[in-house]
């Protein structure tokens, strides 16, 4: 997936199911107890982590041992 497409999907708050090296990841959105919006990202069936901006997501999220920022181009979108 191109980084521009990935970023645009996040800007419009599209829930995504992604595939990376045979593992499924889910990305969705929510609001925490303080009323702050977050991006929820993590491997399917495991607890997701919350990120409060696109920059924080791509810089801190991991796909196994690979940083998300280095792996966006090889992600496969499963729910177009």
């Amino acid at each position: 997936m191109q980084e521009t497409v990935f970023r645009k999907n996040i800007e419009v708050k599209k829930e995504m199911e992604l595939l990376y090296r045979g593992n499924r990841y889910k990305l969705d959105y929510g609001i925490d107890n303080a009323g702050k919006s977050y991006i929820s990202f993590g491997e399917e069936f495991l607890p997701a982590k919350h990120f409060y901006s696109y920059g924080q997501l791509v810089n801190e999220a991991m796909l196994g041992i690979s940083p998300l920022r280095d792996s966006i181009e090889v992600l496969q979108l499963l729910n177009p």
Side-chain angles (χ1 to χ4, degrees):
M1 169 185 302
Q2 294 177 342
E3 194 273 336
T4 55
V5 172
F6 184 72
R7 185 177 187 126
K8 181 66 175 175
N9 283 342
I10 290 178
E11 288 173 357
V12 298
K13 295 190 175 185
K14 176 180 172 56
E15 292 183 7
M16 292 184 269
E17 291 182 15
L18 305 158
L19 185 65
Y20 177 74
R21 294 187 176 178
N23 294 322
R24 289 175 161 258
Y25 292 84
K26 290 197 168 253
L27 189 144
D28 60 10
Y29 309 87
I31 298 176
D32 67 14
N33 293 336
K36 206 169 172 188
S37 296
Y38 63 81
I39 303 164
S40 176
F41 179 78
E43 192 170 347
E44 189 175 44
F45 305 120
L46 294 177
K49 293 186 179 181
H50 297 171
F51 303 93
Y52 291 91
S53 69
Y54 177 79
Q56 183 185 22
L57 171 69
V58 297
N59 287 315
E60 297 179 16
M62 300 293 285
L63 297 165
I65 61 168
S66 302
L68 177 60
R69 72 178 170 274
D70 295 339
S71 306
I72 291 172
E73 297 291 323
V74 296
L75 288 174
Q76 293 178 15
L77 181 61
L78 299 175
N79 60 332

